[in-house]
Amino acid sequence: MSEFIQERKISIMSSVSETIGGMFSNLGSLLSVSWFAWLLLFAWGILSAYAGVSTTLAATLGVSLEVLAQIVQYTTTLIQVLLTSVISIAWYRYLIVGEEAEGIVFLQIGKREMVYLGYLFLFGVAFVLLAGGLGGAGWLMMQSLGTGWLIYLYGLGAVILLSFFIIRTMLTLAGVALDEPEPLRSAWKITRGNCWRIFWAMVLLYLVILLVYAVMLGIGMAVGFSPAVMGEIFLSIASGKAPFETILFVHAVSIILTVFSTMLGVAFLSSLYRQLTNITSGDLSAVFGEATATAEEGA
């Protein structure tokens, strides 16, 4: 295990190029292991948004549409987080150590997935508490000092602190996916000395994402989907007045964007994890078990 955690430096450009290249070169394999889970998410989104289904279900359960909307919202969030976690774990294991899931229909939910969800919950709570504390302190400063340069300086410091927290802990998820026994500790150690490199890699990747979305927005506007038209469509769905074809189209676009963003995030973290650990063996028991970690020296 001592060889697994050692100081390495990532390459900013390699991280971005590996993320994008790895995502598209492995697109078929990544979709083949996740298509069923995405189909479930897509079907649930259609059913929960269709007014006819909501009305029938509310009458069956004996609750109002408002109460049902709350139930559906919480249930949808839980299902999305669970299925996205299942997909992400399978992708991490494929992209980092080349493990291929067995079977045409893959939907594995076990101890590993529960641990993954536990860490997601832990990080969510920690982020909310940290962001809330910093935001509350900033509000108190603004009440006493007004809106001056000190407030903007504090805001910048708060953003840097939150970014530091995210960068030092986000590789925990890749570690959990690979059954690393101390994923949080390892993530904190292997990212030491790489915060700024990871930060600039994230900025560069974010610019690429913005470019892709700008192109998609331009194509949408060219075929008649202006912001005003899209606003009307979303209002019609929210009010329960949208036709089924509109709901189908909107959720198809939504699931495509979700697949893209999830795949990009997993590919990026996988690239960072490979660079910082140099895992070269698919035998994870040899890497994280009693045996010496399979890692290259002097990287």
Side-chain angles (χ1 to χ4, degrees), residues 101-293:
E102 298 179 359
I104 299 177
V105 176
F106 177 81
L107 191 63
Q108 178 175 303
I109 302 176
K111 179 182 177 181
R112 183 187 300 136
E113 287 70 27
M114 293 300 102
V115 173
Y116 193 94
L117 286 173
Y119 273 102
L120 282 179
F121 177 77
L122 175 65
F123 290 149
V125 171
F127 182 83
V128 169
L129 291 177
L130 183 58
L134 292 172
W139 183 83
L140 291 175
M141 286 181 61
M142 190 169 60
Q143 294 300 308
S144 59
L145 300 177
T147 55
W149 66 272
L150 282 175
I151 297 299
Y152 295 113
L153 184 62
Y154 172 82
L156 177 61
V159 170
I160 292 176
L161 181 59
L162 287 172
S163 299
F164 175 81
F165 168 76
I166 293 171
I167 289 171
R168 294 300 299 272
T169 59
M170 62 186 183
L171 286 179
T172 301
L173 299 177
V176 172
L178 298 181
D179 300 322
E180 210 280 310
E182 297 180 317
L184 180 56
R185 171 179 172 272
S186 297
W188 192 267
K189 285 183 174 292
I190 64 179
T191 53
R192 182 174 56 199
N194 281 282
C195 284
W196 282 112
R197 290 170 180 265
I198 295 175
F199 173 79
W200 289 117
M202 291 171 64
V203 169
L204 187 56
L205 191 60
Y206 180 69
L207 293 177
V208 173
I209 296 173
L210 283 182
L211 178 61
V212 171
Y213 282 131
V215 171
M216 293 180 64
L217 180 61
I219 295 174
M221 294 182 67
V223 297
F225 289 102
S226 65
V229 172
M230 292 303 298
E232 293 177 1
I233 290 175
F234 284 116
L235 284 175
S236 67
I237 293 176
S239 63
K241 299 178 181 179
F244 181 76
E245 294 78 9
T246 300
I247 295 174
L248 189 67
F249 171 76
V250 169
H251 279 276
V253 173
S254 176
I255 203 70
I256 290 173
L257 295 178
T258 302
V259 171
F260 172 76
S261 59
T262 304
M263 193 179 293
L264 198 66
V266 171
F268 179 64
L269 294 184
S270 296
S271 174
L272 295 180
Y273 198 86
R274 284 197 310 271
Q275 292 183 67
L276 292 173
T277 62
N278 274 349
I279 290 180
T280 58
S281 172
D283 183 5
L284 296 178
S285 62
V287 177
F288 298 129
E290 295 297 327
T292 303

Side-chain angles (χ1 to χ4, degrees), residues 22-73:
M23 186 177 73
F24 285 105
S25 62
N26 294 290
L27 185 62
S29 297
L30 296 176
L31 291 179
S32 67
V33 74
S34 61
W35 70 269
F36 183 67
W38 291 125
L39 181 62
L40 291 179
L41 282 175
F42 178 65
W44 176 263
I46 294 295
L47 291 174
S48 61
Y50 191 47
V53 174
S54 299
T55 303
T56 303
L57 186 58
T60 303
L61 297 177
V63 298
S64 64
L65 287 174
E66 291 75 15
V67 172
L68 180 64
Q70 292 290 329
I71 296 174
V72 169
Q73 180 180 358

